[in-house]
Amino acid sequence: MTTSRQDPPSRAGEHPHPPQVTAADVEEMTQEQLARLAHQLDDVEVIHNQRKFPIPGTRAEKRATRAVATWFLLSALSGLAFLAAFLFWPFEYVPPHEEGYTLYVLYTPVIGATFGFAVLALGIGAIAYVKKFFPDDVSVQQRHDGRSDEVARRTLMAQLAEAGNDTTIARRSLIKRSAGAAAGLFGLGLGIAAIAPFVRNPWEGGADAALWVTPWASPDGETVYLRRDTGKVGEVSLVRPEDLDAGGMETVFPFRESQRGHEEELLRAQRASDTPVMLIRLRPDQPVLVRPGQEGFNYGSYWAFSKVCTHLGCPASLYEQQTHRALCPCHQSQFLITEYARPVFGPATRPLPQLPITVNDEGYFVAVHDFIEPVGPAFWERGARA
Amino acid sequence: MTTTLRGARTRLRRKLTGALALGFALLAAGGLYTVFTPQPQVATAQGDAALVAQGQVLFDNHCISCHGVNLQGVEDRGPSLVGVGDSAVFFQVSTGRMPLARQEAQAVRKPPLPQFDPETPEGQENLDALGAYVQANGGGPHRPDATDAALRGDDPARGGELFRLNCSSCHNFTGTGIALSSGKYAPSLAPASAMDIYTAMQTGPQSMPRFSDRQLTPEEKRDIIAYVESVQGGLNNPGGQHLGGIGPTAEGVVAFIVGLAAMIGLALWIGAKS
């Protein structure tokens, strides 16, 4: 209805096609003429096309050829060097101060540099070729304003609709519905597969849910020892009261005799996010403040606090043995160990949970029971405890 | 009469025997005493006594105003030195931290006093003397009698595990150090010698906790030193440049800036008219 407004006035409905060309004409045309015809059919006008080297065999042309070829050759050589280095360069770790360290430490730079240069030189060669040999070319293509003309639009829509009708899909509802069910369920499956790993019931296990208890708990009453990490997987080194000097601090992990010899279980206890505990030995004459409800959790001058910051769970183990502060490196919370590790600075609002410890009749430190409150950052269901 | 005479003779004999027995007992006790009395624990040999005396002179000249006449410390000036051992003396004095330049949050490492320079024979002797004096007044951890090379363990991988567990929270995983509370800081380990690191672990200078030999065995301490020395001073940088050794943030920023500049440069070159 509004065709007169939308259609361009002069050239509406009419393409500036060149004179009709028949198959016979094409047979007789040269390649150059055909290329020009292709431009004309696309409404492209070549304004300027100048070859870089109109006269073949000049010195300048040879120089340009050599320059491009040099880049490609350099790339090939570098690729070869990369292959050789990748296959034969010694890559196994050698500590400094030992023979072979220099060669080892060059491994990454060598394979990186050779591979990188091979790719770079290939690219530079390609671009140099384009810059040196491709003709200077300026072409103009006419741009058609507005939408396609009415005839083209109507015919295209009719064509599509007719193609749809020919498939008879519109009246085959069984196929439509079954296909819809298949595609829908497939999509649903994909969506669930993507989201399901994030959905977990944190309260599985009720009062023993993972957020409430830590591996320091001993459901079957087995003794939970304090164990140090000696840097050797599977080595069990238990802690005795004489092990730490006053002003000392050690990170300890839970250990039970039933885990001895099971390397994976031992490692899991060391790597779990809620197990690390700072065992701190204060000086004997150090005045301390005990939190109500945590009386007797310490053993003499030994105090054990969770290493996990109550703000966002970083290891708050920057222990200053003179000011008795444990610092968290993430957001600068500070906990005063001599006053039940209460926060004295920074965003943390709750003290570090204290692990009740004692020494058993073998002379080893053991945990009396689990922490009396959840370890680490707060969560909704965690009640506020003063 | 005979009876009285006999009685008097018996009495005399009894007195004589008693005196003899007492004499023997006394002699035996004295002999046993001389044989079994333990030797004094400290400063027996002439050389050690001289060393301790020399150390006392050095202490009186350099340390006494803050650490007190009997090493008991002075309120608001310096802590007690009873029980710190010659290990602490070596760490604090040979690194120039002591004598303190001024009272501030933390003693800083600076060139040691010339008479305590561990590079000179005189400095070594004075350090030994001062250490012997402090050791003689309360004991404490002993500095190992070993060269720096002997203090480097042969398992830097295990040392790395232990360093990351015990040390890296303050010193960073390459030993670059970090800020602590109220102006204190964990220093960089770059200028520290193997002996400095060892004695620091033994004695827990300033804010640092102490790591006794039962907590970290001497072998573990040496492995830690091996690890520290293997990542310090630009060593072990497969990328060619450690960029401060403070982790992925610095590396990411440099990669972003340098890489982006290179990309822009290349794009400019590609787009430029030849």
Side-chain angles (χ1 to χ4, degrees):
Chain A
M1 56 175 182
T2 55
T3 45
S4 59
R5 187 165 59 83
Q6 290 195 342
D7 287 348
S10 59
R11 294 166 67 175
E14 164 218 352
H15 285 300
H17 281 169
Q20 294 294 316
V21 182
T22 63
D25 293 340
V26 171
E27 286 297 323
E28 287 171 8
M29 286 165 86
T30 64
Q31 182 170 311
E32 199 183 340
Q33 285 168 326
L34 280 169
R36 199 178 304 133
L37 176 63
H39 278 134
Q40 285 169 351
L41 287 171
D42 285 346
D43 238 357
V44 172
E45 192 181 346
V46 177
I47 290 174
H48 170 76
N49 188 339
Q50 172 70 52
R51 289 198 176 181
K52 283 283 167 57
F53 301 103
I55 307 158
T58 58
R59 215 180 256 176
E61 186 183 12
K62 282 182 182 157
R63 202 162 49 234
T65 318
R66 272 199 302 275
V68 172
T70 307
W71 280 113
F72 285 135
L73 278 176
L74 282 177
S75 171
L77 280 178
S78 194
L80 201 64
F82 164 73
L83 270 181
F86 189 79
L87 290 175
F88 303 116
W89 202 280
F91 64 92
E92 274 166 350
Y93 181 75
V94 180
H97 320 294
E98 275 185 30
E99 202 177 332
Y101 167 73
T102 319
L103 269 188
Y104 152 73
V105 93
L106 282 174
Y107 173 74
T108 310
V110 162
I111 63 165
T114 50
F115 184 74
F117 188 74
V119 174
L120 186 72
L122 189 64
I124 290 180
I127 292 167
Y129 182 74
V130 171
K131 282 169 159 297
K132 286 187 197 297
F133 290 96
F134 275 31
D136 287 332
D137 179 311
V138 178
S139 303
V140 174
Q141 180 171 28
Q142 294 302 326
R143 188 176 142 200
H144 304 286
D145 292 334
R147 56 186 192 181
S148 305
D149 59 67
E150 197 62 18
V151 176
R153 290 167 56 217
R154 294 285 291 273
T155 50
L156 179 69
M157 289 313 292
Q159 201 177 14
L160 286 176
E162 197 55 27
N165 281 342
D166 287 350
T167 62
T168 65
I169 189 73
R171 57 192 179 83
R172 306 219 181 265
S173 55
L174 178 63
I175 290 182
K176 263 198 294 189
R177 284 177 194 167
S178 56
L185 281 174
F186 179 69
L188 192 67
L190 272 187
I192 286 181
I195 295 169
F198 300 114
V199 182
R200 209 182 295 172
N201 178 12
W203 310 119
E204 202 179 357
D208 293 332
L211 278 170
W212 297 122
V213 299
T214 73
W216 288 99
S218 181
D220 53 1
E222 191 181 358
T223 309
V224 181
Y225 292 90
L226 274 63
R227 173 194 170 207
R228 64 168 59 90
D229 185 351
T230 58
K232 284 182 183 164
V233 178
E235 187 180 39
V236 176
S237 173
L238 303 178
V239 187
R240 287 174 171 277
E242 64 263 31
D243 286 353
L244 266 67
D245 279 343
M249 189 274 270
E250 178 153 42
T251 306
V252 290
F253 305 89
F255 166 74
R256 298 180 213 177
E257 276 303 332
S258 60
Q259 294 173 328
R260 193 182 286 275
H262 299 89
E263 283 195 357
E264 285 188 18
E265 278 189 46
L266 289 173
L267 201 62
R268 203 176 303 137
Q270 285 181 340
R271 297 290 184 265
S273 55
D274 52 358
T275 54
V277 159
M278 289 187 284
L279 181 66
I280 291 169
R281 185 174 189 182
L282 300 176
R283 290 183 180 73
D285 52 354
Q286 179 65 41
V288 288
L289 203 60
V290 179
R291 190 180 180 191
Q294 295 184 346
E295 295 87 358
F297 277 23
N298 59 313
Y299 179 82
S301 53
Y302 279 92
W303 300 72
F305 293 100
S306 166
K307 191 170 172 171
V308 187
C309 184
T310 55
H311 174 226
L312 287 177
C314 289
S317 61
L318 284 72
Y319 175 58
E320 298 179 354
Q321 60 110 346
Q322 283 184 337
T323 56
H324 311 294
R325 287 177 183 211
L327 278 55
C328 179
C330 292
H331 306 100
Q332 284 71 47
S333 291
Q334 297 179 12
F335 302 91
L336 192 53
I337 296 299
T338 50
E339 296 185 5
Y340 55 85
R342 67 179 179 91
V344 290
F345 183 86
T349 54
R350 286 175 294 112
L352 298 173
Q354 186 176 2
L355 183 74
I357 52 169
T358 187
V359 171
N360 71 354
D361 48 16
E362 303 164 274
Y364 292 120
F365 272 119
V366 294
V368 179
H369 50 76
D370 196 8
F371 297 100
I372 56 171
E373 57 186 327
V375 164
F379 45 92
W380 283 334
E381 290 79 358
R382 185 193 193 287
R385 184 176 178 276
Chain B
M1 171 108 180
T2 39
T3 40
T4 39
L5 190 68
R6 202 189 305 151
R9 214 182 273 164
T10 330
R11 226 177 293 132
L12 180 70
R13 195 190 294 160
R14 209 184 295 142
K15 271 187 186 165
L16 272 176
T17 348
L20 258 177
L22 186 66
F24 271 122
L26 281 173
L27 264 177
L32 283 174
Y33 179 80
T34 40
V35 171
F36 286 113
T37 308
Q39 297 294 308
Q41 295 273 331
V42 280
T44 45
Q46 188 57 38
D48 277 3
L51 206 59
V52 170
Q54 185 191 346
Q56 180 162 17
V57 173
L58 290 165
F59 182 88
D60 290 349
N61 287 342
H62 295 100
C63 326
I64 200 166
S65 56
C66 296
H67 292 295
V69 186
N70 299 313
L71 291 82
Q72 81 281 25
V74 175
E75 188 74 34
D76 293 332
R77 277 203 215 148
S80 162
L81 297 186
V82 176
V84 301
D86 60 13
S87 195
V89 172
F90 178 85
F91 176 83
Q92 299 283 0
V93 181
S94 76
T95 63
R97 287 179 168 87
M98 294 290 150
L100 211 55
R102 71 187 77 84
Q103 293 283 348
E104 55 188 333
Q106 182 158 330
V108 293
R109 187 185 180 108
K110 56 184 185 292
L113 288 183
Q115 59 267 44
F116 292 119
D117 187 351
E119 304 293 323
T120 65
E122 185 215 354
Q124 284 168 4
E125 196 194 330
N126 284 338
L127 282 169
D128 286 346
L130 194 59
Y133 175 69
V134 171
Q135 193 74 37
N137 289 280
H142 263 300
R143 176 161 65 101
D145 186 19
T147 59
D148 275 0
L151 285 176
R152 190 187 303 136
D154 49 12
D155 194 348
R158 181 197 189 199
E161 289 280 332
L162 292 165
F163 186 87
R164 287 186 289 273
L165 179 71
N166 291 297
C167 323
S168 70
S169 54
C170 297
H171 287 290
N172 167 307
F173 59 96
T174 55
T176 56
I178 198 179
L180 296 175
S181 73
S182 311
K184 299 188 284 296
Y185 60 91
S188 163
L189 303 183
S193 70
M195 183 64 88
D196 294 347
I197 301 173
Y198 195 98
T199 49
M201 286 190 276
Q202 277 185 315
T203 61
Q206 306 183 52
S207 293
M208 180 168 159
R210 293 169 70 153
F211 296 92
S212 77
D213 281 355
R214 292 178 305 280
Q215 180 181 351
L216 284 177
T217 63
E219 187 199 342
E220 289 171 336
K221 287 191 173 90
R222 287 198 296 270
D223 283 346
I224 287 176
I225 290 171
Y227 169 77
V228 172
E229 300 211 331
S230 74
V231 293
Q232 283 280 331
L235 294 174
N236 255 325
N237 288 300
Q241 165 57 254
H242 64 96
L243 301 175
I246 56 167
T249 311
E251 289 163 14
V253 167
V254 170
F256 188 74
I257 292 173
V258 174
L260 209 62
M263 292 294 168
I264 292 172
L266 265 178
L268 284 174
W269 174 67
I270 291 173
K273 282 272 178 195
S274 47

